[in-house]
Amino acid sequence: MLQIDLWKRLCIWGVVALGLLLALPNAFYPRVERYNDAVASIEAGNAETPEIAQGLAQWPDWMPSALVNLGLDLRGGAHLLAEVKVADVYQARVEGMWPEVRDLLREERDRIGPIRLQSTENAELRVRLVDRPEMASEAASLVRGLARPVTSLTGAGASDIDVSAEAGEIVLRLSEAEQLATDDRTVRQALEIIRRRIDEVGTREPTIQRQGADRILIQVPGVGSAAELKQIIGTTAQLTFQPVVSRTSNADERAGAGNEVLPSLDEEGVYYILERAPVVTGEELVDAQPDFDQNGRPAVSFRFNPTGARKFGDYTAENIGNPFAIVLDSEVISAPVIQSHIPGGSGIITGNFNVEESTNLAVLLRAGALPAGLEFLEERTVGPELGADSIEAGKIACIVAFALVLVFMFASYGIFGVFANIALIINVGLIFGLLSMIGATLTLPGIAGIVLTIGMAVDANVLVFERIREEMTSAKGPARAIELGYEKAMSAIVDANITTFLTAVILYAIGSGPVRGFAITLGLGIITSVFTALFVTRLIAVIWFERRRPKTVLSGRSLRLVPKDTSWDFFKRWKMSLGVSAVLIVVALGSFGLQGLNFGIDFKGGTTIRTQSAEPVDIGIYRGAMDGLELGDISITEVFDPTFGPDQNVAMVRIQAQDDQESVSAEMVQTVEDALQVAVPDVKFTSVESVGPKVSGELIQTAVIAVILAIGAVLIYIWMRFEWQFAVGAVVALVHDVVLTIGVFSEMQIQFDLAIIAALLTIVGYSLNDTVVVFDRVRENLRKYKQKPMNEVLNLSINETLSRTVMTSVTTLLALLALYFLGGDVIRGFVFAMIWGVIVGTYSSIFVASSVLRWLGVKRDWSKPDANAGNQFANIDA
């Protein structure tokens, strides 16, 4: 019977209500954002001001207030990918052990004789035994006593140093286990310090997260440029207090082993020879505040933790009358003479500061010293104007796509189309509710993912509705037809969506930034689409049926893209269809081999500057402005888009990194911008992106791995759910689609960037969706018609699913076409790949995958139970 228990109905509506309630704040984004800012200000300990009170009044405190974070491409801001130079820390660690080693061996001087620290360029400490080199092994044994256990789970039981004797010298190095532990600690410390420094600036919703073993991703909305963000986090602010050996005016003077020569910050031409091992470091600071010295000049007061206070106090007590240097980032701020014992661990740093400089220095010292240098592998700046345009374009595209799909579904399925439309609206609400709940970031490709979901969400409904139409011809009444429609469509829905979900998981695991954002929205969209199609639409249909009790369903006049009953022979010219595919593949591979792909900076490395001006773009003027800058390979292209106004003239300037450089420097980017500003006075720079060759090379490798993994995962899943012949047919169709898509990008020289990889993987998922639906019907018909030849079973299955295939393709294309024409030029290449993928995916599921299956044949093992009989999903009521 067609019925759903009351408790199930309450659960379904409860989930819907909760999801929509979580999504509701996004409909009042500015108000809720002001409310959240006011709450955060109060939690930070600030007094309630009229502005904060006004912010709190913007939104009820009992309502959910979590929002979907807007990515940089929608809000504007700066993006950096930094690599922490973890190896730099090894040298500092071993040098810091010299005082301990020296004091230990001096106590044994009678036995081992005098010692001398040796210079070395490696991360090691070398101590030579001057008179008794034969005692090196015994001295090394003594130094091993300084070893401590490694403080990490992976290094349990290991020592932090390796000590050996080599040719009369003691060699001390960090152990491999300690290096790994040090790497982890260094990146964690750098991550925390970067977070503190950005929090000091007070930016909203920064994203600071570890990426891989030694990289940190930093995205900060609202920051003017990547250069500005680098200034905030890139200053190391490493404070040390070091003993002074002597003062000199010669920068090249030999310092001696264990010493270094550093310049004075205030006195030009003055240098200090200092002991390299510091007495105390900035890591032991607990506070630093702007202050004034006894003469009223700006200064910085500081306070050490108990460990630092003890070391600082002991040193000052033992070295009264001797100078010591206060060093900040390898420059001597001052070198006062110790007048007396300084207990308590507090003091003051004086220098040639103004008030602003002393305040900035205090902020940097409070945030802590970066434990190692940072190499910026990737930089992106998105102007707020471009972000606002992207949001507007995305909104318009979503609304138009939504309207087209709603009208199309109503025209095709009448009242059942209305049910699907209600479920579709709920579906989008649930996506935003889930995104808000997990605090996800919505990017422009993420909007594309939602628009794609709008197109694909109707697929499950189309499968069910088409099945109900079929069952109406044989079932006893509409109630039984609806029940069987949901039961028999379940297997195809589950298989099709799991395969697409697998590609979303791979995208999330391997991708980064916007690609990962796209994967999140696609994955969540699949979950919500299945829920709304199988539970919400069904519940609405049951409620309607209980009230109306119609004699028939889905049998009236409606829009049909495919005739009601078709018996087309799709294999009459199967050799020709495979031959056409083979020719297209050869052409695609030939084009790829001859001219390759037009790689974007994601894969080539370099810098792209996006400009906008009221004046028409004159490429000659742009190129002339940069001719004397010796930039090497430059390409300048004008961007045309129907959504641009008459005063929106956009150009893309791409600068290839020089052979001897990691990337285009920030200074060079500024020089280019200044030159263009002179040539075109009203020009604006709406975005700047820089990617180093190191990252670009890794991205190519990652992209290839992602595609291979996606195809491999699909092969395994279909093999498990069907038979190996089905898996081979599906994979051949996938490779066919991917190769043809890459071929089109090669032939037309459309820019190929990281977002296109996301599109390729989505094509893999979409193509599978189509193929699995056909294969599911083939499997069902093989058991239903045991004596029919394979050729006839395949033809029958394709004809039976043809209406669904065409309907799904058209609804998806409607959404994608809206996005292509109205979504802005930033994601046009991405959307083009999707449109092409839908077309070739539909073709390959009918002609390629099925032809391969026909050629391979399927062993009909009738001892196996019916794949659909007793299906674990088949008897779910709602």
Side-chain angles (χ1 to χ4, degrees):
M1 294 293 293
L2 186 63
Q3 59 183 7
I4 300 175
D5 296 334
L6 178 61
W7 70 270
K8 290 182 180 179
R9 298 185 185 208
L10 292 175
C11 286
I12 293 168
W13 289 129
V15 170
V16 169
L18 178 62
L20 295 180
L21 186 65
L22 290 172
L24 184 63
N26 295 285
F28 306 92
Y29 205 97
R31 293 175 57 183
V32 179
E33 199 168 44
R34 287 197 293 273
Y35 168 81
N36 289 342
D37 288 344
V39 170
S41 184
I42 290 176
E43 289 176 351
N46 297 324
E48 187 170 326
T49 62
E51 290 80 10
I52 292 176
Q54 188 178 8
L56 292 173
Q58 295 290 316
W59 190 251
D61 57 4
W62 52 269
M63 287 282 286
S65 59
L67 294 169
V68 176
N69 297 326
L70 297 180
L72 297 186
D73 51 1
L74 296 178
R75 170 166 282 182
H79 160 113
L80 294 174
L81 180 63
E83 185 173 77
V84 183
K85 297 180 180 178
V86 291
D88 291 356
V89 180
Y90 305 158
Q91 184 70 30
R93 277 287 309 281
V94 294
E95 285 177 353
M97 293 193 70
W98 165 238
E100 284 185 86
V101 174
R102 178 190 61 201
D103 295 344
L104 174 68
L105 296 180
R106 278 178 178 173
E107 292 177 3
E108 302 293 330
R109 184 164 184 166
D110 293 341
R111 283 199 299 145
I112 65 174
I115 59 172
R116 182 171 296 167
L117 181 64
Q118 301 298 106
S119 297
T120 176
E121 294 182 358
N122 300 320
E124 61 187 16
L125 198 68
R126 285 184 172 268
V127 182
R128 185 161 65 88
L129 276 61
V130 180
D131 296 337
R132 299 178 186 175
E134 69 278 2
M135 297 294 291
S137 295
E138 187 173 338
S141 180
L142 292 171
V143 175
R144 287 190 191 100
L146 299 173
R148 301 178 182 87
V150 175
T151 54
S152 73
L153 293 176
T154 55
S159 297
D160 64 341
I161 56 174
D162 290 332
V163 184
S164 59
E166 298 177 7
E169 293 181 347
I170 305 164
V171 183
L172 183 150
R173 302 182 181 92
L174 292 184
S175 66
E176 187 175 342
E178 179 63 16
Q179 287 183 11
L180 291 173
T182 300
D183 291 352
D184 185 61
R185 284 196 302 270
T186 302
V187 176
R188 286 175 183 270
Q189 186 181 350
L191 190 71
E192 183 57 33
I193 289 167
I194 290 171
R195 183 175 284 114
R196 274 192 267 162
R197 290 186 181 180
I198 289 174
D199 287 346
E200 288 273 358
V201 180
T203 57
R204 176 190 284 141
E205 297 166 359
T207 299
I208 306 160
Q209 60 191 30
R210 188 169 179 173
Q211 193 170 89
D214 58 357
R215 291 180 184 175
I216 299 174
L217 176 68
I218 308 141
Q219 293 181 329
V220 184
V223 173
S225 68
E228 184 181 332
L229 181 57
K230 284 166 71 175
Q231 280 188 332
I232 295 171
I233 67 171
T235 307
T236 56
Q238 281 193 317
L239 183 72
T240 56
F241 295 79
Q242 296 173 231
V244 176
V245 176
S246 64
R247 174 173 161 153
T248 179
S249 59
N250 182 10
D252 299 321
E253 185 166 333
R254 188 175 179 81
N259 299 333
E260 61 182 346
V261 179
L262 296 180
S264 169
L265 180 65
D266 297 335
E267 303 170 277
E268 189 174 349
V270 175
Y271 299 87
Y272 289 87
I273 299 176
L274 310 177
E275 289 187 23
R276 193 184 297 272
V279 176
V280 195
T281 70
E283 292 180 8
E284 292 158 307
L285 275 178
V286 292
D287 193 24
Q289 295 292 338
D291 206 342
F292 294 92
D293 64 12
Q294 57 189 3
N295 298 316
R297 291 175 300 192
V300 176
S301 61
F302 62 86
R303 182 164 53 86
F304 289 119
N305 63 18
T307 304
R310 186 179 63 254
K311 289 195 287 187
F312 190 61
D314 291 346
Y315 181 81
T316 55
E318 296 169 2
N319 291 275
I320 295 173
N322 295 327
F324 78 106
I326 303 173
V327 181
L328 180 70
D329 291 340
S330 300
E331 290 185 310
V332 178
I333 296 177
S334 61
V337 175
I338 300 170
Q339 303 293 341
S340 62
H341 174 215
I342 306 176
S346 61
I348 190 165
I349 302 172
T350 60
N352 189 20
F353 304 134
N354 58 35
V355 173
E356 184 181 357
E357 288 170 342
S358 67
T359 303
N360 290 339
L361 176 58
V363 167
L364 290 170
L365 293 177
R366 263 200 319 274
L370 283 168
L374 299 176
E375 180 184 351
F376 295 101
L377 306 176
E378 191 175 304
E379 303 174 26
R380 301 181 195 272
T381 302
V382 180
E385 301 92 350
L386 182 60
D389 290 347
S390 297
I391 291 177
E392 193 59 33
K395 279 182 182 177
I396 294 171
C398 283
I399 292 170
V400 172
F402 214 74
L404 288 174
V405 172
L406 294 182
V407 171
F408 182 73
M409 286 298 291
F410 176 72
S412 300
Y413 296 107
I415 188 66
F416 274 75
V418 173
F419 302 158
N421 290 340
I422 294 171
L424 189 59
I425 294 168
I426 292 172
N427 181 34
V428 175
L430 292 179
I431 291 174
F432 275 94
L434 287 173
L435 289 172
S436 300
M437 185 176 70
I438 65 176
T441 299
L442 184 64
T443 60
L444 204 53
I447 290 179
I450 291 174
V451 173
L452 183 62
T453 300
I454 292 171
M456 294 182 67
V458 299
D459 178 55
N461 285 310
V462 169
L463 275 168
V464 171
F465 296 164
E466 291 296 327
R467 199 73 201 227
I468 291 172
R469 271 179 173 168
E470 287 182 43
E471 296 301 329
M472 275 299 298
T473 60
S474 57
K476 296 178 179 179
R480 183 60 178 160
I482 294 172
E483 189 174 17
L484 287 174
Y486 276 95
E487 284 184 11
K488 292 188 176 183
M490 182 69 72
S491 176
I493 291 170
V494 170
D495 283 333
N497 283 283
I498 284 179
T499 50
T500 308
F501 189 76
L502 283 173
T503 62
V505 170
I506 291 168
L507 266 177
Y508 181 81
I510 293 184
S512 61
V515 173
R516 182 168 280 194
F518 172 75
I520 290 173
T521 53
L522 180 64
L524 292 179
I526 290 167
I527 295 170
T528 57
S529 297
V530 172
F531 171 76
T532 52
L534 296 182
F535 296 93
V536 177
T537 309
R538 183 175 186 176
L539 179 55
I540 296 172
V542 168
I543 293 172
W544 169 79
F545 187 82
E546 289 172 346
R547 290 175 179 272
R548 293 296 183 90
R549 294 289 175 182
K551 300 295 183 183
T552 183
V553 292
L554 288 172
S555 57
R557 296 183 62 184
S558 60
L559 174 66
R560 282 185 177 273
L561 300 178
V562 175
K564 185 175 181 181
D565 296 307
T566 60
S567 56
W568 297 331
D569 186 354
F570 291 95
F571 300 101
K572 187 176 182 180
R573 295 183 176 84
W574 68 276
K575 291 183 180 178
M576 186 177 76
S577 62
L578 287 183
V580 169
S581 291
V583 169
L584 291 175
I585 288 172
V586 169
V587 171
L589 292 175
S591 174
F592 180 77
L594 291 173
Q595 60 182 4
L597 291 167
N598 177 22
F599 286 116
I601 64 162
D602 287 338
F603 294 128
K604 288 179 70 175
T607 296
T608 296
I609 303 172
R610 181 185 174 102
T611 70
Q612 182 176 318
S613 67
E615 294 182 26
V617 174
D618 187 323
I619 291 177
I621 292 177
Y622 278 58
R623 190 172 293 280
M626 295 181 287
D627 268 349
L629 301 180
E630 299 181 355
L631 295 174
D633 184 15
I634 299 177
S635 69
I636 305 167
T637 55
E638 185 173 0
V639 178
F640 297 96
D641 193 279
T643 62
F644 289 166
D647 59 342
Q648 285 181 290
N649 297 286
V650 177
M652 302 290 280
V653 180
R654 293 186 179 87
I655 309 168
Q656 189 71 26
Q658 303 296 314
D659 294 336
D660 58 341
Q661 296 177 347
E662 278 295 301
S663 61
V664 180
S665 66
E667 293 78 14
M668 183 56 73
V669 171
Q670 188 60 54
T671 302
V672 170
E673 291 182 354
D674 292 343
L676 289 174
Q677 196 88 56
V678 171
V680 186
D682 72 331
V683 72
K684 295 178 183 176
F685 305 101
T686 53
S687 74
V688 180
E689 300 180 48
S690 294
V691 179
K694 185 174 184 180
V695 170
S696 61
E698 291 173 2
L699 287 175
I700 293 175
Q701 182 180 353
T702 303
V704 172
I705 292 172
V707 174
I708 292 173
L709 280 179
I711 292 175
V714 167
L715 176 66
I716 293 169
Y717 180 80
I718 295 183
W719 197 328
M720 290 170 60
R721 287 288 288 153
F722 294 84
E723 298 288 343
W724 70 267
Q725 295 95 331
F726 289 88
V728 171
V731 168
V732 169
L734 289 186
V735 173
H736 168 275
D737 298 345
V738 170
V739 170
L740 289 190
T741 303
I742 292 174
V744 165
F745 272 79
S746 172
E747 289 153 14
M748 300 179 68
Q749 286 296 288
I750 302 170
Q751 184 172 313
F752 194 90
D753 54 26
L754 196 56
I756 305 304
I757 298 299
L760 281 176
L761 289 180
T762 311
I763 290 167
V764 167
Y766 182 88
S767 175
L768 274 173
N769 191 303
D770 263 356
T771 304
V772 167
V773 169
V774 174
F775 280 1
D776 191 81
R777 186 62 66 94
V778 170
R779 179 176 59 181
E780 180 183 334
N781 284 334
L782 281 171
R783 298 190 178 275
K784 188 175 179 181
Y785 306 105
K786 298 181 180 180
Q787 302 303 318
K788 274 193 176 184
M790 187 65 179
N791 194 63
E792 291 183 25
V793 172
L794 284 169
N795 261 321
L796 176 65
S797 302
I798 296 172
N799 277 289
E800 287 177 345
T801 58
L802 187 62
S803 180
R804 172 263 159 203
T805 299
V806 173
M807 288 289 295
T808 300
S809 298
V810 169
T811 51
T812 307
L813 282 172
L814 284 174
L816 288 172
L817 287 170
L819 197 65
Y820 182 82
F821 288 109
L822 302 172
D825 68 288
V826 178
I827 55 169
R828 183 153 290 130
F830 172 87
V831 179
F832 173 79
M834 289 300 310
I835 291 172
W836 174 257
V838 168
I839 295 169
V840 297
T842 303
Y843 169 84
S844 67
S845 63
I846 295 173
F847 293 100
V848 179
S850 300
S851 296
V852 171
L853 185 60
R854 177 184 182 278
W855 177 58
L856 291 174
V858 179
K859 181 182 178 183
R860 304 189 187 194
D861 186 355
W862 309 122
S863 63
K864 292 183 181 179
D866 191 333
N868 287 322
N871 188 293
Q872 58 181 321
F873 306 108
N875 296 315
I876 298 175
D877 290 332

